[in-house]
Amino acid sequence: MSSADLTAEAERQLRICTACMYCDGLCPVFPAIDNQHRFELTDINYLSNLCHNCRGCWSACQYTPPHPFAINLPAMLAAVRQRSYAEYLWPTALGRAFRRPMLSIALVVGVALLFTLAAVLLSASPAVLLGSDRSAGAFYRVLPWPLMAGAAGASLLWAVLCIALATLRYWRAIAPPLPAGALLRALRPALRDIITLRHLGGGGPGCNDVDERPSHQRRIAHHVMVAGFLGTVLSTLTAAIYHHAFGWLAPYPLTSLPVLLGGVGGVAMLAGIGGLLTIERRADQQPSDPHEVQLNLAFLILLALVTLSGLAVLALRETAAMGLLLILHLGLVFGFFLALPFTKAIHAPFRAAALLRAAAEAEEAKPLARKRGD
Ligand code: SF4
Ligand code: SF4
């Protein structure tokens, strides 16, 4: 479907929903379209990221195919969402990577692995690479600390810059014409919705993650994965403090804070990723967009590889396999950061921006609702 056809189809379905409004209360998309009769491209892009793909409206709708109205809001909004990632990404040319996410990510990660291997071969002797080393600073004899920190810092900076600029472009397109005060007041409810993934609750009973039965599986798996990720971030931060503040060089003992946080965080991440992959595999494909499924799978598989390789380094760091495993892990980490702007990770700030607009509009409407006695 061409981009213009997709926009026309989105407008057609949203107009029917506006007239129907049976799903009001399921998620913030319906209050946002209430009484709307025209949908500009930016409105559609906003609504697509406000949708959490809970599939509640798919299960509730009486106009899904084979009804002539052929309403499939989750699939249509998912298709628009993929397009919005590419449209607002910075640099714009990188948006093409969303067309074939598996291939794009594999290419970037492959190049990062080759560069890491080349850097190690140029800086370390084969004996260091293939022998076992249990002493402090062993990791930095495989890849010197300035190279390791420089590559990680530069690739992370690239990811943060691209995602921040893409989010800024998206926000400028969808930002409501509201006073700054309304936006400030909206920060708290928006933050609550973002952190709790409230709308993955499908208005209370849960999402239709796999079929028509409501469940909280996706919400729980998502929370577990994010908690695990935060654990690994804390592990990296504490390791940096050990290194710079105390001069203690990795690898650290199994009972040290960086290892405990990294180990528990890694296992939690794998559990969350496993849960999300299982849901993705079992889910009804009809209310899905195939591109979004590919994007989800590519991101989850990459995240799983990064996590597994990190845990493998942790488990086998005292063996001769440490050198090669460390190269694999570092290459995957650098590749992960470089590819991050065109992975599913972009959905987090885009959805946050959409939730902020929804919360701001709700705040602005409160006095009117009070006056009407709603
Ligand atoms: S998804 Fe179907 S039931 Fe729900 S508001 Fe739209 S048309 Fe009505
Ligand atoms: S899939 Fe869920 S979040 Fe998306 S529009 Fe339907 S009810 Fe709302």
Side-chain angles (χ1 to χ4, degrees), residues 13-14 16-24 26 30 33 57-58 60-64 69 71-74:
Q13 292 198 30
L14 289 167
I16 294 172
C17 287
T18 307
C20 167
M21 286 306 275
Y22 178 73
C23 297
D24 193 16
L26 281 185
F30 295 95
I33 62 171
C57 59
W58 169 257
C61 186
Q62 58 273 44
Y63 303 124
T64 55
F69 284 176
I71 296 291
N72 189 343
L73 223 48

Side-chain angles (χ1 to χ4, degrees), residues 25 29 60 77 79 92 98 128 133 173-174 179 189 196 208 233 255 282 284 291 303 307 324 328 330-332 334 370:
V29 169
L77 289 175
T92 309
F98 281 109
V128 167
D133 184 353
I174 67 154
T196 61
N208 298 103
V233 170
T255 51
R282 290 172 51 215
D284 177 7
H291 274 98
L303 207 53
T307 314
L324 290 176
L328 177 68
L330 290 175
L332 284 169
F334 302 152
R370 270 199 292 270

